[in-house]
Every structure is written in C-alpha cells, then in structure tokens.
Amino acid sequence: MTIPVLQVTNLQKRFGDFAAVDGISFSMKPGEILGLLGPNGAGKTTTIQMLLGLITPTTGSIQIFGLDLSSNRETILQQVNFSSTYISMPQALTVEENLWVVARLYGLTDIARRVNEIVKKLEMEDFCHKVTRKLSSGQMTRITLAKALLTEPKILFLDEPTASLDPDIAEKIRALLKEERRSSGLSILYTSHNMREMEEMSDRIIFLQRGKIVAEGTAQEIVTRFGQADLEEVFLKLARESRIGGKP
Ligand SMILES: Nc1ncnc2c1ncn2[C@@H]1O[C@H](COP(=O)(O)OP(=O)(O)O)[C@@H](O)[C@H]1O
Ligand SMILES: [Mg+2]
C-alpha cells in the first residue's frame, strides 16, 4: 500500500458555535490530483488554511509525509506550497522581484535560472517587470501560481487557481499542472467552481457541504451515485439543498 502524502483525520474548525469544517477525514496519494468541491461557505478555504498551518484546527489531526503538521510545521512547509487570491505580496516590487524574494525565503539556489524558467512556463514575460500593484487579477493569479511552483514542492494546495484566468490561459495552467505531476510526482489539492475543470483534472473529488464530506470518488462515480447527468447537475442539486438547509 502506498503511504499517503496527506492524511486528514476528523478535522474540525469551529468559529464560536459554528463548525465551518465539521469532522472530515480523507487522504491523498503521491501524485494524486484531488478536487475539493462545494458551494460557497462549504469550508474549502478553511480546510486549506488548516492544511497550511495558517489556522489551528479545533480538533482532529493533519499528517503530511507521515508527520504531524502541528509538531513538524517547518519541515513540512519547506516541501509544500500554495496559491490563493488571499495571499498578499509587496505591491511596490515587480513580479520578478517578488519571485526572487520567495526564492530567497525558501533558500533556493540558482535563482536566476529558476525564475526565468517559471516566467516562461507561465507566459509572464510581458508583465514580469511590472510592479505588482499594477497587475490585473488574471496576472495576479499567475504570479501566485509562479510563486507556488518556483519552490518545486511535493504538494500544492491551490484555492481557486484558475478563477480569474481567461479560458486559454486556464487551459495552459491545467496542462502545466498535469505535466508537473507527471514529471515530478507532484500531488495537488485544489478547489474550483468550474465543473468541466473538476471532471478533467481530478483523479478524485471530495464534495463538501456545510463542513461535511457528502460525496467522494471519481467524477463519474459521484455522477452515477447521485443519478444525475453530470457533475454540474450534482453540484446544483447539493448546493440548492444546502441553501434551503435540507439533508443530502
Ligand atoms: N474567521 C472566520 N470567522 C468566522 N467564520 C468564518 C471565518 N472564516 C470562515 N468562516 C465561515 O466558515 C464558513 C466556511 O468558509 P470557507 O471555508 O471560506 O468556505 P468556502 O471556501 O467553501 O467558500 C463560511 O460560513 C464562513 O463565513
Ligand atoms: Mg473559498
């Protein structure tokens, strides 16, 4: 049996009386692409923030590379990276300067080569000398992805990585992520509201609703289980139930 790179057990996060994440357990295999799906407020971002050690779980455990995150944070985070719209970067620095800062923080060597490589891979040549404050939201998304890939992590946590990208660049990013997985065994946990992307990218999908896992499996397995035509239909069914407070 392959040892999972990520093992989440009974994870819960409460904000006062409210459980944003309500006792979820799942694992991720090396090289797996895992999609975290669910309506707004389902607990996806809260889950990712716990996996990154940015917020502390109320109860439950997170093991990454077989180590407990709470007591091995620094070792683990050296080999993990993430992208999301909520990270902020020094706005007065150029895109390239920001990438240098990240490279230095992670203690990378051969920085000029790596920065050039990532700028090319993400087709950022035309704005890599712009100050970060002047970037469009799609360009911002690309710099956060560049930052995430720059450190050659073993696990990537991506919170809505393609949300503000045009379809062409979104497609290129998906191809790039799959290529990284193929060439370096990268494992990816990501969220998206793009159902086609979920179907195309994910080896497995975890469906969150009001902090709980309500479905898990391949896109096809989930579609079949809920007796719907496609993932979009499953999503609409579950999201509407979620809004009226019904049971799945
Ligand atoms: N710091 C916080 N304090 C109180 N409630 C929060 C906090 N962060 C998130 N929540 C609530 O937790 C729930 C899950 O949020 P989130 O994880 O951002 O959902 P998602 O990313 O799936 O849209 C939401 O109801 C949100 O309002
Ligand atoms: Mg979110």
Side-chain angles (χ1 to χ4, degrees), residues 44-45 159-160:
K44 305 178 297 293
T45 296
D159 200 0
E160 304 190 25

Side-chain angles (χ1 to χ4, degrees), residues 31-50:
E32 189 170 34
I33 300 184
L34 196 58
L36 199 54
L37 185 61
N40 289 328
K44 305 178 297 293
T45 296
T46 306
T47 300
I48 289 184
Q49 289 183 329
M50 285 192 278

Side-chain angles (χ1 to χ4, degrees), residues 4-5 26 36 45 53 65 83 106 108-109 117 125 147 150 179 239:
V5 284
F26 64 91
L36 199 54
T45 296
F65 313 124
S83 95
Y106 276 77
L108 302 187
T109 54
E117 208 173 87
E125 292 97 333
K147 174 205 80 69
L150 184 65
E179 173 52 28

Side-chain angles (χ1 to χ4, degrees), residues 48-56 73 82 86:
I48 289 184
Q49 289 183 329
M50 285 192 278
L51 298 177
L52 289 165
L54 295 173
I55 57 174
T56 312
R73 210 169 162 270
F82 73 106
Y86 50 77

Side-chain angles (χ1 to χ4, degrees), residues 17 47 56 97 146 171 189 231:
D17 288 343
T47 300
T56 312
E97 284 165 348
E171 185 55 42
L189 176 78
L231 202 58

Side-chain angles (χ1 to χ4, degrees), residues 72-93:
N72 298 275
R73 210 169 162 270
E74 208 168 309
T75 316
I76 291 170
L77 294 182
Q78 274 289 328
Q79 299 183 73
V80 170
N81 214 326
F82 73 106
S83 95
S84 80
T85 45
Y86 50 77
I87 35 177
S88 59
M89 274 177 247
Q91 297 290 302
L93 298 186

Side-chain angles (χ1 to χ4, degrees), residues 171-185:
E171 185 55 42
K172 284 179 176 153
I173 298 292
R174 285 193 284 273
L176 175 66
L177 291 172
K178 281 189 181 169
E179 173 52 28
E180 293 294 322
R181 180 263 286 273
R182 197 196 58 75
S183 62
S184 69

Side-chain angles (χ1 to χ4, degrees), residues 83-85 121-124 126-127 135-146 149 158-177 190-194 196-197 201:
S83 95
S84 80
T85 45
K121 269 190 186 171
L122 286 157
E123 298 186 20
M124 295 165 56
D126 55 337
F127 61 90
L135 299 183
S136 72
S137 62
Q139 290 169 337
M140 256 330 275
T141 305
R142 267 187 282 171
I143 180 176
T144 65
L145 277 164
L149 285 164
L158 307 176
D159 200 0
E160 304 190 25
T162 57
S164 52
L165 300 177
D166 72 52
D168 174 48
I169 199 77
E171 185 55 42
K172 284 179 176 153
I173 298 292
R174 285 193 284 273
L176 175 66
L177 291 172
Y190 79 107
T191 71
S192 172
H193 287 128
N194 178 338
R196 260 189 54 209
E197 175 170 284
M201 282 281 288

